Amino acid sequence: MAEAAPINWTNATTLISVAILVGTELIGAGAAAGWAIGGLFQLGETITHVLQGVFVLAALTGLYYFLRAALAHEPIRG
């Protein structure tokens, strides 16, 4: 069985930092967009929360694909 390459801590730290930064921005923007649209069109509290949830889920999906691309360019092992 092949041994795993050692962890490149510089790349790992960079990826963790960018995940926190980009994740915070995307989730905050998704929640704010749901709140703004719900308030703008006076959709009510329940629909506003549903919109926020949808936008936050879209933000998490975007973060997932962003981190996959980042891992392709900055591998943690190797």
Side-chain angles (χ1 to χ4, degrees):
M1 186 168 225
E3 290 186 33
I7 294 176
N8 183 341
W9 287 106
T10 303
N11 287 0
T13 305
T14 301
L15 288 171
I16 290 168
S17 299
V18 79
I20 292 169
L21 177 66
V22 172
T24 302
E25 293 286 337
L26 286 176
I27 291 171
W35 171 80
I37 291 171
L40 180 66
F41 295 112
Q42 298 178 355
L43 298 175
E45 191 173 328
T46 303
I47 295 176
T48 299
H49 288 304
V50 169
L51 276 175
Q52 286 176 320
V54 167
F55 287 137
V56 166
L57 285 175
L60 289 172
T61 303
L63 179 63
Y64 171 75
Y65 285 110
F66 175 80
L67 288 176
R68 279 184 52 191
L71 276 168
H73 293 285
E74 293 272 339
I76 291 178
R77 295 206 180 258

